[in-house]
Amino acid sequence: MLYFARRGHYASRLPFWSALQNITTASIVALLCDGFLNFQLHRPQSRMLLGLTWVFFPIAVLMFRAVTRGILGKFGLWELRTVVIGSGQAARQAEAALLSEPALGYSVAGVVPASGVDPESGQFWSNILRQHRAELLILVFDPEDSLTSAITQSLLRQRIGFAVMPRLGGLPVLGFEQTNFFSHDTMMFTFRNNLAQPISRATKLLFDIVVAFVLLLLIAPVFAIIAAAVKLDKGPVFFAHRRVGAGGREFNCLKFRSMVPEADKVLSHLIAGDPDAALEWSLYRKLRNDPRVTRIGRILRKTSLDELPQLINVLRMEMSLVGPRPIVRGEVPYYGDDIVYYYETRPGITGLWQVSGRSDTGFEQRVQLDTWYVKNWTLWHDIAILAKTAPAVLQGRGAV
């Protein structure tokens, strides 16, 4: 409980995956301490009971907190009404971030543009909060905004609680270490590129190989059944498509075949004669009603089972379990200068793009999500994305 308090669990509203990471860490440390004490004190206790106690601890904590939030929500005690001070895209991005996790309880009661702020008025902030029945002000100004200093000083002098959501212009929000300087109103953020660290890269590779090997053993019967079904549909079992990997090197990305033979010719003929299909292909590089897909292939794509052979690519160290979606050479220009981030790691079977809407998301947003993932990589992010992949596949969000 002291650890949770130190991490802000009882004073702040932490996003789900940040809270789960802390709870899991606490559970592992408690398991080690508990086991050590049992050994030193010669306490007779079942090892299985000891292990299960701390394995189920995170689940119990999350369930209890969810029930508590639900009860508080029924009485209107969990909602935290906020007022965003800002305008334009910055305000829209802040609002989207606040509403992205409903469990946090944030709601945006209003948006006040910077031009409508009067920091010299003694009652201005109190009136804003009272007018919107809000409890928290959130500033989303650019650092260069001339009003920022006056507004923040006004809030500080009047003891008004507020939060700041600065626009970082694509900087890696989780890749910085903060340093404070005693007696100075400034701080320094030092960037650390996690994926550039040899230990981090080795950890990611080891995690990929171990998990991929275990998964292949577990799904071997399913793998064989799908292979037989595809073979009965006239044609080869696997389809190897040339994709761009780490460092710009190409490799054969494996899938269960889900298309008819000579699919490229079918696509060219369709695009040439159907403007709507041509537009859809130019925007998403996918077609919702793709005539190239076979009957068994449609089922495989809907469930994403066609991508199971990519576990072999992971064992070959050509792909990762989690990473940017593998692209073809013709899609490289869509990344522009950000292609350097794509080249920095191996493409993944799943990724932030897939769990954020998958093929329902435009290519520009896809590039942004892939870039964010590389800039802010941690092993915990990989675990979180893998955990979110199964619900995304089962719900068929964006699957084609």
Side-chain angles (χ1 to χ4, degrees), residues 38-298:
N38 283 339
F39 176 78
Q40 289 294 323
L41 300 177
H42 304 287
R43 292 191 304 188
Q45 186 174 355
S46 167
R47 294 179 181 178
M48 180 175 291
L49 178 61
L50 177 66
L52 291 177
T53 297
W54 294 110
V55 166
F56 284 102
F57 173 75
I59 300 174
V61 171
L62 291 173
M63 290 180 60
F64 181 79
R65 291 184 180 184
V67 170
T68 303
R69 284 195 298 266
I71 295 173
L72 292 174
K74 286 185 179 296
F75 292 96
L77 300 176
W78 183 244
E79 181 187 25
L80 181 60
R81 293 172 62 85
T82 66
V83 175
V84 175
I85 309 297
S87 57
Q89 185 178 5
R92 290 191 295 271
Q93 290 177 345
E95 185 173 359
L98 290 168
L99 301 179
S100 63
E101 291 200 38
L104 293 179
Y106 289 112
S107 66
V108 179
V111 177
V112 177
S115 58
V117 171
D118 182 8
E120 303 300 327
S121 173
Q123 297 297 318
F124 180 81
W125 301 117
S126 299
N127 291 337
I128 287 291
L129 291 172
R130 189 181 308 111
Q131 175 185 346
H132 293 90
R133 294 184 291 111
E135 304 172 60
L136 180 66
L137 295 170
I138 299 179
L139 310 183
V140 293
F141 300 132
D142 281 326
E144 298 179 358
D145 196 302
S146 59
L147 285 176
T148 300
S149 178
I151 290 174
T152 54
Q153 291 303 317
S154 173
L155 290 167
L156 290 169
R157 284 193 295 269
Q158 296 181 41
R159 304 292 195 274
I160 302 293
F162 69 97
V164 178
M165 295 181 70
R167 295 182 63 187
L168 297 179
L171 291 177
V173 292
L174 300 179
F176 284 108
E177 295 178 356
Q178 176 181 328
T179 302
N180 298 313
F181 297 92
F182 184 72
S183 78
H184 291 273
D185 291 334
T186 188
M187 61 180 62
M188 180 174 68
F189 295 97
T190 304
F191 173 61
R192 177 185 176 88
N193 187 342
N194 289 334
L195 275 177
Q197 307 301 317
I199 294 179
S200 297
R201 299 181 76 90
T203 300
K204 181 175 175 63
L205 178 60
L206 180 63
F207 176 80
D208 285 338
I209 292 176
V210 170
V211 174
F213 181 75
V214 172
L215 286 177
L216 275 174
L217 288 179
L218 293 176
I219 66 170
V222 177
F223 203 97
I225 293 172
I226 295 175
V230 174
K231 186 64 177 177
L232 291 173
D233 199 18
K234 297 180 181 179
V237 173
F238 298 113
F239 173 73
H241 198 218
R242 296 295 287 176
R243 296 295 174 109
V244 179
R249 296 179 294 274
E250 293 189 357
F251 69 98
N252 288 325
C253 182
L254 300 177
K255 287 188 177 185
F256 283 122
R257 183 179 59 83
S258 61
M259 291 187 178
V260 298
E262 298 185 343
D264 290 340
K265 293 182 179 179
V266 175
L267 176 63
S268 299
H269 180 73
L270 176 67
I271 290 178
D274 189 339
D276 292 335
L279 177 61
E280 183 180 357
W281 178 259
S282 67
L283 291 175
Y284 304 107
R285 313 302 293 179
K286 288 181 178 288
L287 298 174
R288 186 168 298 277
N289 297 311
D290 197 329
R292 301 172 297 168
V293 181
T294 63
R295 286 180 297 177
I296 184 65
R298 203 168 298 278

Side-chain angles (χ1 to χ4, degrees), residues 333-349:
Y334 288 94
Y335 276 77
D337 293 338
D338 288 336
I339 193 62
V340 296
Y341 297 110
Y342 179 91
Y343 289 158
E344 194 170 339
T345 186
R346 289 166 291 129
I349 298 176

